[in-house]
Amino acid sequence: EQSGEATDMPEVEKFADVFNVSEVPELPPIFKEWFEVAPEDFKLAVTLTLLPFLGTVGSKLRAQYFNGEVHSPSFICCVEAPQANGKSFVRKLDNSILGELKKHDAEEREKERAWKEARKAERDARVKMTKQELAEMMKEKPEGVIRYVAATISVTELLKKMVNARGLHVIAVSEEIDTVHKAMKRGFSDFSDLLRKAFDNAEHGQDYASESSWSGIVKLFFNTVYCGTPKAVRRFFPDVEDGMISRVIFVTFPDQAYKPVPVWGKFSKQQEESLNYHLNRLNMISLVDEEVQEEHLMKMDFMVKEMQRWCVAQQKFAAQTKDLTRDTFCRRSAVIGFRAAMLAYFLWEEKNTPVVRARVKKFGVWVANCCLRQFLLRFNLQENKLSTFYCKEVYDSLPDEFDAKKLISALHAHGKDNKYNDVAYRWKLAGLLEVKGSHKSRIYVKINQEVKQDGK
């Protein structure tokens, strides 16, 4: 029997509601500071996009989840928005959160460059080297920890970097997901397989007969942040049944068309001190003076029980509403929420008090809700097709203005038994509907967007 399991159906429905994510819970350090300086439309997106960045810095965080499985802060994040809509905020997070990491990487790359130049000069001087001399020279090659890699890196080179990282997360960031897709097009299925395994920290390897090619097996620790337009994202994630999709944090924010350029706030001195303090704490559990640290295992049974309770509520609600999509995606959304809670618990200094535990639980559930909400808005497993437009055929059949009775009638005409207010709420959330009037005289007005034709 699950601790705290919801059994009363109205209570289940309330706990299973993933569409009210605008009520952001109290945020842990770093998340809190960035949330406060972000423009209103970007606050939620920034909070979620921080996860892979902080998961990379705090790479050695660990906590046991269901069945005693030990999880790390591994995340695949995809920021989706039309072109010129402000996706470049990712660059701000990149430069700020990964500043020390990239500085360390630059030093290691410089050592490698200097070694290559010295060896080239040595080879030129000797004219010809024996195999033994070449082997001795290669043994001296510096193999430092380099964790920030190009998003278009080959699988072979990525595996080599992971071996050298010695169990620390490697991260790739791209502001154009199409660039990654084109670079990986020939071997995209292999890359997709690698991303799926990386989410689970499974092993991946390759064996080549050639001595010049790398062969071996390595446990994957790989975080990614990709940005793209809606069409580019659909090209990268074309198959709803591909296991990679359920592992992705899809991040969106309101369309910025016809809006002023968003203005970001500046960190106060107090905020900067908090950021520096907590980023340093995360860095110190991963790499200290070139020494990769041991795993930092946290006891988070309270969070495991909370995510169990959340999953039970989602599955009961899915069974009641015959929602296969919710049932399918809630499990991995819970995993992502748990991993986010790992970061939150550490940033709140692992204070095992009722107040901190309550904060961590609310934050983890909120992240899980954000993830599941995106899956429900994007996919429809009952129809076995990619769907980013909830009940689109019903929406298209309605006039530009309609009331609840017309909506209910249209739902019945299309064989839908969905609750009309849930459908209207999702359309409103997706920016497709405006609500006017009071509860008894409520009128729904369609918002005319090009997005309608694209199914987004």
Side-chain angles (χ1 to χ4, degrees):
E1 185 176 341
Q2 309 291 359
S3 175
E5 178 182 327
T7 54
D8 184 59
M9 215 57 222
E11 182 64 23
V12 166
E13 186 171 343
K14 181 180 178 182
F15 194 59
D17 178 20
V18 300
F19 288 96
N20 198 21
V21 297
S22 59
E23 292 184 10
V24 182
E26 185 170 353
L27 298 173
I30 302 181
F31 292 95
K32 180 176 183 289
E33 284 79 13
W34 277 98
F35 184 88
E36 288 172 348
V37 300
E40 191 63 35
D41 281 356
F42 290 79
K43 289 184 182 296
L44 188 148
V46 165
T47 305
L48 294 173
T49 310
L50 277 167
L51 290 169
F53 289 110
L54 295 179
T56 302
V57 178
S59 181
K60 284 296 184 174
L61 285 178
R62 297 290 186 273
Q64 284 191 347
Y65 194 47
F66 293 162
N67 301 322
E69 292 181 358
V70 177
H71 282 240
S72 76
S74 299
F75 303 97
I76 303 170
C77 181
C78 180
V79 180
E80 177 189 306
Q83 59 182 334
N85 253 239
K87 296 185 294 294
S88 59
F89 77 82
V90 169
R91 202 179 310 150
K92 296 178 184 289
L93 303 182
D94 186 330
N95 293 333
S96 175
I97 304 300
L98 301 182
E100 285 300 312
L101 184 152
K102 291 164 81 172
K103 181 181 176 182
H104 176 270
D105 280 5
E107 292 170 356
E108 294 301 317
R109 291 181 189 277
E110 177 56 27
K111 290 177 186 176
E112 190 172 318
R113 185 199 64 78
W115 179 87
K116 286 179 179 178
E117 286 192 358
R119 297 295 79 77
K120 182 179 183 301
E122 190 176 332
R123 286 198 305 271
D124 291 346
R126 293 191 186 188
V127 180
K128 188 176 182 180
M129 298 179 70
T130 66
K131 286 186 177 181
Q132 185 176 353
E133 287 173 332
L134 184 60
E136 288 297 321
M137 184 182 75
M138 292 304 293
K139 285 180 183 178
E140 300 169 7
K141 184 179 180 182
E143 299 288 358
V145 176
I146 295 176
R147 290 181 282 168
Y148 192 95
V149 300
T152 54
I153 188 172
S154 69
V155 170
T156 297
E157 189 61 28
L158 179 59
L159 294 176
K160 288 166 66 176
K161 285 287 189 291
M162 287 189 191
V163 170
N164 294 339
R166 305 197 297 278
L168 293 176
H169 280 80
V170 172
I171 186 169
V173 182
S174 176
E175 293 183 32
E176 294 297 339
I177 199 171
D178 247 359
T179 303
V180 183
H181 188 252
K182 289 172 184 175
M184 304 294 180
K185 199 167 186 179
R186 182 174 295 178
F188 189 75
S189 61
D190 290 338
F191 185 66
S192 174
D193 183 49
L194 184 143
L195 283 177
R196 286 197 299 271
K197 290 180 178 178
F199 182 86
D200 300 323
N201 302 141
E203 290 183 337
H204 190 83
Q206 58 187 30
D207 286 304
Y208 291 119
S210 172
E211 291 183 5
S212 60
S213 296
W214 182 86
S215 295
I217 297 175
V218 61
K219 196 171 185 179
L220 302 178
F221 293 94
F222 185 40
N223 285 344
T224 58
V225 183
Y226 297 142
C227 306
T229 63
K231 287 184 178 179
V233 169
R234 287 200 295 276
R235 278 193 291 269
F236 196 86
F237 302 107
D239 185 2
V240 65
E241 295 183 359
D242 186 331
M244 179 170 65
I245 285 177
S246 65
R247 293 164 166 88
V248 179
I249 305 170
F250 287 103
V251 177
T252 60
F253 49 88
D255 194 341
Q256 300 301 294
Y258 312 113
K259 292 184 179 181
V261 176
V263 178
W264 288 73
K266 291 184 178 180
F267 294 119
S268 66
K269 184 179 178 181
Q270 185 178 3
Q271 286 174 320
E272 286 184 348
E273 287 175 353
S274 176
L275 286 169
N276 293 335
Y277 171 71
H278 290 287
L279 278 175
N280 185 58
R281 289 183 62 235
L282 281 170
N283 272 304
M284 293 295 283
I285 65 165
S286 297
L287 187 68
V288 179
D289 296 330
E290 304 302 317
E291 290 293 325
V292 175
Q293 300 301 292
E294 296 295 324
E295 292 182 349
H296 183 91
L297 186 64
M298 300 182 293
K299 188 173 177 59
M300 296 184 65
D301 294 349
F302 68 92
M303 195 65 217
V304 176
K305 290 178 181 178
E306 185 71 359
M307 295 321 302
Q308 284 179 323
R309 177 173 174 255
W310 184 83
C311 270
V312 167
Q314 295 299 336
Q315 290 172 321
K316 285 193 173 184
F317 189 61
Q320 182 195 37
T321 56
K322 298 181 176 60
D323 190 344
L324 181 60
T325 310
R326 183 184 295 266
D327 180 64
T328 300
F329 288 108
C330 73
R331 297 170 183 84
R332 292 241 170 81
S333 296
V335 169
I336 296 170
F338 178 78
R339 293 178 179 180
M342 288 168 56
L343 285 167
Y345 192 45
F346 179 80
L347 291 170
W348 270 313
E349 306 194 31
E350 298 176 61
K351 293 178 180 176
N352 191 16
T353 65
V355 171
V356 170
R357 288 197 301 268
R359 289 175 182 170
V360 173
K361 287 193 287 187
K362 286 180 180 178
F363 180 69
V365 166
W366 178 78
V367 170
N369 283 339
C370 289
C371 294
L372 185 53
R373 167 181 171 269
Q374 282 291 327
F375 291 133
L376 292 174
L377 288 171
R378 289 166 181 275
F379 308 119
N380 188 336
L381 295 184
Q382 284 92 329
E383 296 180 16
N384 195 30
K385 65 180 181 180
L386 188 67
S387 174
T388 55
F389 198 134
Y390 189 67
C391 294
K392 184 177 187 298
E393 66 277 25
V394 177
Y395 183 94
D396 290 342
S397 71
L398 288 161
D400 289 341
E401 291 189 12
F402 55 92
D403 58 15
K405 287 183 179 180
K406 286 184 179 179
L407 175 52
I408 292 169
S409 177
L411 285 166
H412 289 163
H414 286 84
K416 305 284 186 182
D417 58 356
N418 311 62
K419 293 180 179 179
Y420 84 92
N421 51 352
D422 178 51
V423 174
Y425 184 71
R426 293 195 191 199
W427 288 345
K428 181 176 179 290
L429 198 69
L432 300 165
L433 205 66
E434 184 179 351
V435 182
K436 294 183 177 180
S438 61
H439 178 69
K440 291 185 178 180
S441 59
R442 185 171 292 167
I443 297 295
Y444 301 100
V445 182
K446 287 184 178 180
I447 296 176
N448 186 23
Q449 298 181 14
E450 285 186 359
V451 141
K452 283 165 49 182
Q453 277 73 43
D454 194 34
K456 284 287 300 167

